[in-house]
Amino acid sequence: MKTKYYVTVHGGGEGVWIPEKAGEHIKQNASENLRGVRLHHAFDYEGFNISGVLMQRGAQLDLARIEQWVSLEQGAASIKDSRLVITNGSLAAGAPTAFGLVLEITAGSHFGWERGRNGVNAVITVDDNHRGAKVGASIQDIFQDIMLANDDSVQAVLSKWRTAGGTNAALFAKKAAFATTEVAAGRAGGLFDRFDADAYASFAAISRTNLGQMMSSSERAGFARLWTRFLIEEFSNHFLDVDEAVKLVTTGRFRTSKPEFTADSGRRPDARNQHGMLQEAQLRDALNDNQLVRSDGSYILCFWLTAPGDSADRIGAVFDWRNSYEKNPKKFKLVDEKGYAKMLPLVRDGLVTPIRLFLKKQ
């Protein structure tokens, strides 16, 4: 599990922007939101840890100094991890560092997502109006975006792209350009007074319609839709063939569904599981659905893991039958977005596990 760090930077004393325990609250809220995304849109997500360092604001505060401070305070913190710097004054100019992704939240005259500067990929400015809510929402949205980006299915596509020469810097720039286009066209965004991204953008941030901690169903749908459309428009040449998809499903790590607590959120799932016990021949048959996979695109593989028991009729009605007389439903079903709506009640009840896959036309 990748560890994501944030660093709090401010003048100390009065004006602290986030409380000491903010990390745990942000982690909990982000996880709850992404459980809903997992349930309704079949994206998985990576867990994460947040740790923070409180630094005194001083002259010539730059990334090199932050890197040194974090190393001293946190021990062997990998410099490849992400950093989120929260400061009431902008960072000083400095030479680029070895950080993988650096974002800054700072005081400003408006609520905006700005281009990167001083070695930072993006700067979020926050005005005085509801500052606390805006800072908390921005932090949470950044981590939610990183968590979903670590979905094994997303990473399988990006891994193929990187093998062909793609870089993280190019990926971040593509995301920023896509997000900027969506906001300009009125298909996303609404809370920022200004949105001008060039080296990174959070899809969760532009899916927001309010500053609440918990995503609404429409916000979750918008978040999932942005990631799906982004991959289809930018990376379809690197989608998976059947062999690659079979390997991913059996060796990747995906959460098994469990019955939900309420009508709108999934029960807290266990850590990701490998599904190597799945029968590859049946899985391959399901993925070789030429009637469904008519173009390179996003599809959802659904399968059940335990004996269907009293739910055999419900599962068989959607999955079709291997043997209807013996009440033996097929194990797998590949569906599109419309077909997943029929699957959702079974997923909600913990009977079916969904995996979103980005597949090439067979």
Side-chain angles (χ1 to χ4, degrees), residues 311-321 329 333 342-343 346:
S311 300
D313 286 333
R314 290 181 62 201
I315 296 174
V318 181
F319 277 64
D320 299 325
W321 297 98
K333 181 76 170 182
K342 298 178 181 178
M343 289 287 181
L346 298 173

Side-chain angles (χ1 to χ4, degrees), residues 87-128:
T87 172
N88 57 10
S90 295
L91 297 179
T97 73
F99 287 128
L101 173 66
V102 182
L103 304 172
E104 179 183 348
I105 298 177
T106 191
S109 59
H110 61 276
F111 187 34
W113 190 288
E114 311 290 346
R115 290 170 173 259
R117 59 176 181 252
N118 300 340
V120 176
N121 294 73
V123 177
I124 299 92
T125 59
V126 183
D127 57 3
D128 290 334

Side-chain angles (χ1 to χ4, degrees), residues 259-280:
E260 63 181 351
F261 278 133
T262 69
D264 195 48
S265 64
R267 177 187 288 267
R268 186 184 298 268
D270 291 331
R272 289 178 168 189
N273 300 296
Q274 287 187 338
H275 298 297
M277 82 295 291
L278 298 175
Q279 295 184 22
E280 291 192 15

